C-alpha cells in the first residue's frame, strides 16, 4: 500500500475504484472478488474503512481496545495486500457506534479522500446494511453516499478547497446487495440487483484467503464461508447502481465501468 497521494497529485488517466466499508474484514467478505477482478483489469483500487473494529466479540489475544485496534489494522493491511489494493486506510470512528458519529465530520473525512483519490466508481453498502443488516454498514454507506454527492460540489466543505484539493465527481455509486437473504438475521429490504460481477472460483478462493488474514475473527470463518457461496454453482458479487453523474435509464450490467469515461475532466 502507498500513502495518500498529496493534494497536487497529478490526475492520472488510470481508472480508479474506491470502496467505503465499516469494519476491517468487510473489504474481503463483501467486496474481495470485485477488488481482485478490477485490479487485474488495470483499475487502481482503494478501500477506506470507517472503524478499527474494536466492538468485535472475537478479540484474539487482545486485552484492550487499543491492542485489538492495532491488530485489526494490521490484519486489514494484510488483507488489502492479498487483494492487491493500492491504498487502504482505517479511520478512527467508533465500531458499533457509527449511527451516533458526527455526520458532518464523517462525510467530510470521506469527501476529502474522494477529492484526493479521485475515483471513477465508488462501492459501499446501502441503507439496509448489506446482507448482514449491520447498522455500521448502513451508516458507512449513508456517509459514503453523501460524500459521493458532495465531493463534487464546491459549496460543500469549501475549506478543503483552500488546501489544494479540487471538487471531484465520481461517475457511479454502487451498493453491495444480493439476490438472497441470510437466515437468522433481522429483516432488511435489500436494494435491487442491477449489476452482477462473476468473480470465478479462483478469486472466490483468494477472497477467502484475504478474509483469513483477519485472524482475530477466526471463529467467524466458517459462517462467512457459508454465506459467501458459491450459490447455484456460481461465485458472484452483486451490486445496486444507486447513482450516476449522468442521468440514465436502469439497465442490467455485468461491468462496474460500463459507460465510465476515463479522462472526463470536471
Ligand atoms: Zn462489517
Amino acid at each position: 500500500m502507498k500513502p495518500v497521494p498529496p493534494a497536487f497529485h497529478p490526475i492520472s488517466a488510470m481508472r480508479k475504484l474506491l470502496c467505503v466499508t465499516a469494519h476491517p474484514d468487510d473489504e474481503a467478505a463483501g467486496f474481495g472478488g470485485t477488488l481482485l477482478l478490477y485490479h487485474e483489469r488495470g483499475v487502481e483500487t482503494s478501500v477506506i474503512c470507517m472503524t478499527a473494529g474494536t466492538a468485535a466479540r472475537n478479540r484474539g489475544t487482545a486485552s484492550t481496545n487499543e491492542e485489538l485496534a492495532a491488530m485489526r489494522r494490521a490484519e486489514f493491511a494484510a488483507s488489502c495486500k492479498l487483494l492487491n489494493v493500492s491504498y487502504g486506510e482505517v479511520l478512527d470512528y467508533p465500531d458499533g457506534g457509527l449511527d451516533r458519529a458526527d455526520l458532518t465530520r464523517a462525510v467530510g473525512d470521506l469527501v476529502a479522500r474522494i477529492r484526493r483519490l479521485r475515483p471513477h466508481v465508488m462501492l459501499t453498502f446501502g441503507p439496509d446494511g448489506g446482507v448482514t443488516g449491520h447498522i455500521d454498514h448502513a451508516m458507512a454507506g449513508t456517509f459514503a453516499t453523501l460524500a459521493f454527492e458532495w465531493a463534487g460540489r464546491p459549496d460543500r466543505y469549501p475549506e478543503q478547497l483552500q488546501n489544494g484539493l479540487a471538487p471531484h465527481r465520481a461517475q457511479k455509486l454502487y451498493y453491495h446487495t444480493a439476490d438472497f437473504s441470510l437466515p437468522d438475521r433481522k429483516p432488511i429490504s435489500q436494494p435491487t440487483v442491477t449489476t452482477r460481477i462473476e468473480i470465478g472460483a479462483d478469486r472466490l478462493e483468494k477472497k477467502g484467503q484475504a478474509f483469513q488474514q483477519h485472524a482475530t475473527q477466526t471463529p467467524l470463518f466458517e459462517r462467512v464461508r457459508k454465506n459467501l457461496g458459491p450459490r447455484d454453482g456460481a461465485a458472484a458479487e452483486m451490486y445496486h447502481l444507486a447513482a450516476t453523474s449522468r442521468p440514465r435509464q436502469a439497465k442490467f450490467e455485468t461491468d462496474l465501468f460500463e459507460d465510465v469515461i476515463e479522462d472526463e475532466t470536471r
Side-chain angles (χ1 to χ4, degrees):
M1 286 191 291
K2 59 190 183 190
V4 175
F8 289 103
H9 183 72
I11 303 164
S12 82
M14 194 178 192
R15 295 184 300 165
K16 294 176 184 174
L17 177 67
L18 170 63
C19 179
V20 177
T21 66
H23 312 111
D25 75 20
D26 294 339
E27 78 293 339
F31 306 91
T34 304
L35 291 169
L36 284 165
L37 176 68
Y38 280 91
H39 170 81
E40 287 167 31
R41 293 184 180 175
V43 174
E44 185 182 280
T45 58
S46 301
V47 179
I48 307 291
C49 176
M50 301 289 299
T51 82
T54 53
R57 264 189 299 273
N58 302 301
R59 305 178 68 83
T61 57
S63 51
T64 64
N65 276 349
E66 290 69 28
E67 271 177 38
L68 183 59
M71 287 163 76
R72 297 206 70 184
R73 284 172 187 276
E75 291 168 356
F76 173 82
S79 167
C80 283
K81 195 170 173 205
L82 258 194
L83 296 171
N84 299 315
V85 169
S86 298
Y87 173 71
E89 183 179 5
V90 178
L91 304 183
D92 59 357
Y93 287 91
D95 184 14
L98 278 187
D99 56 334
R100 296 181 298 282
D102 183 84
L103 181 134
T104 304
R105 187 185 144 220
V107 177
D109 279 347
L110 294 177
V111 165
R113 282 150 182 88
I114 293 168
R115 287 172 173 172
R116 282 197 197 106
L117 294 163
R118 310 189 79 77
H120 297 82
V121 172
M122 286 179 58
L123 305 179
T124 189
F125 295 105
D128 61 321
V131 288
T132 62
H134 199 302
I135 296 301
D136 283 340
H137 296 180
M139 292 311 301
T142 300
F143 296 143
T145 300
L146 289 172
F148 169 89
E149 294 287 350
W150 291 351
R153 290 178 54 155
D155 62 335
R156 303 304 295 161
Y157 304 99
E159 69 284 0
Q160 293 177 4
L161 306 176
Q162 289 158 14
N163 297 324
L165 292 178
H168 176 74
R169 294 182 75 196
Q171 294 176 42
K172 295 169 97 177
L173 172 69
Y174 288 97
Y175 293 153
H176 184 276
T177 192
D179 61 359
F180 58 87
S181 55
L182 297 179
D184 311 325
R185 294 279 179 171
K186 300 280 189 300
I188 54 168
S189 300
Q190 292 161 283
T192 312
V193 176
T194 64
T195 309
R196 184 180 172 96
I197 306 298
E198 299 296 340
I199 64 170
D202 290 352
R203 290 186 204 93
L204 181 68
E205 176 65 30
K206 199 157 181 201
K207 153 182 178 162
Q209 288 167 13
F211 189 83
Q212 290 186 38
Q213 301 305 302
H214 297 277
T216 55
Q217 306 307 302
T218 301
L220 297 180
F221 287 168
E222 218 22 67
R223 198 168 74 178
V224 171
R225 189 186 296 279
K226 234 186 336 196
N227 291 345
L228 290 179
R231 287 164 192 272
D232 307 326
E237 288 173 353
M238 289 168 255
Y239 298 96
H240 172 78
L241 178 57
T244 55
S245 59
R246 286 179 302 279
R248 56 180 264 176
Q249 300 284 325
K251 58 179 171 179
F252 189 76
E253 299 176 318
T254 56
D255 176 16
L256 301 175
F257 281 77
E258 187 177 314
D259 298 331
V260 165
I261 299 169
E262 220 163 284
D263 57 354
E264 187 174 55
T265 39
R266 287 169 297 280

